Amino acid sequence: MIMQDFETETCNSIENIWSSMLGLPVARKNGPFQNGDDETYTGYVTISGAWEGTVSILCPKTLAQKVAAIMYEVDENDATREQIEDTLGELANMAGGNIKNILPGNCALSLPTVDFGEHPTSTTDAETVSEVVFNCRGLNFSVNIVKHLEKS
């Protein structure tokens, strides 16, 4: 699997998910994810089996509140932390499922997890194979795919 496949699938997947589920357009943005002073939520799923890795969405709190408000049909200021986490977890789950579908061999997807703060996406036993930054309503978010390396 080459990095271009991951990036293409990530772009197609995120554009479709955000458009159909949220009614929001997103645009790919060049450069690294920068969140400014806003706090970050990270929703992620782990893929295990023939290919092992993690698909994560890093989303500023402000944008996470907006998307949760849309999903739960509430005012942005009324979106609860639970609703934000549930929404971001569902978005990560859908993105991870789409990535899993292009992987070779039999793979399983974990239940989504959401952390407040940035989830570490690269360690000594993993490598980032794709990082795609998007812009939605003037706010950036990032979708990262990390491959877990085999332990020797």
Side-chain angles (χ1 to χ4, degrees):
M1 183 68 45
I2 58 172
M3 192 167 103
Q4 187 63 36
D5 291 340
F6 285 121
E7 289 181 1
T8 299
E9 183 58 31
T10 298
C11 289
N12 292 338
S13 174
I14 294 300
E15 288 170 4
N16 289 334
I17 292 167
W18 285 63
S19 174
S20 65
M21 294 283 299
L22 303 168
L24 295 174
V26 297
R28 184 171 182 180
K29 183 179 184 287
N30 291 325
F33 173 68
Q34 294 178 336
N35 200 16
D37 294 333
D38 205 353
E39 297 170 315
T40 301
Y41 278 96
T42 301
Y44 60 96
V45 291
T46 301
I47 299 172
S48 58
W51 190 92
E52 306 248 338
T54 303
V55 177
S56 60
I57 299 177
L58 284 71
C59 187
K61 182 179 178 183
T62 305
L63 182 57
Q65 285 177 297
K66 288 180 190 297
V67 297
I70 291 169
M71 288 281 283
Y72 282 91
E73 298 178 341
V74 298
D75 185 82
E76 279 180 37
N77 296 324
D78 293 334
T80 66
R81 183 172 175 150
E82 183 179 90
Q83 291 170 329
I84 292 168
E85 290 176 356
D86 185 54
T87 299
L88 196 55
E90 182 59 28
L91 294 171
N93 189 52
M94 294 171 71
N98 287 338
I99 296 299
K100 180 183 83 76
N101 288 337
I102 67 168
L103 296 171
N106 191 17
C107 293
L109 199 63
S110 73
L111 292 174
T113 301
V114 178
D115 289 335
F116 191 66
E118 291 189 24
H119 177 72
T121 55
S122 63
T123 64
T124 56
D125 59 347
E127 70 174 320
T128 300
V129 294
S130 177
E131 178 180 4
V132 182
V133 179
F134 296 91
N135 184 278
C136 178
R137 292 190 171 178
L139 298 166
N140 296 331
F141 68 98
S142 176
V143 179
N144 300 331
I145 303 171
V146 174
K147 182 176 182 6
H148 301 170
L149 303 175
E150 294 181 27
K151 295 185 171 68
S152 47

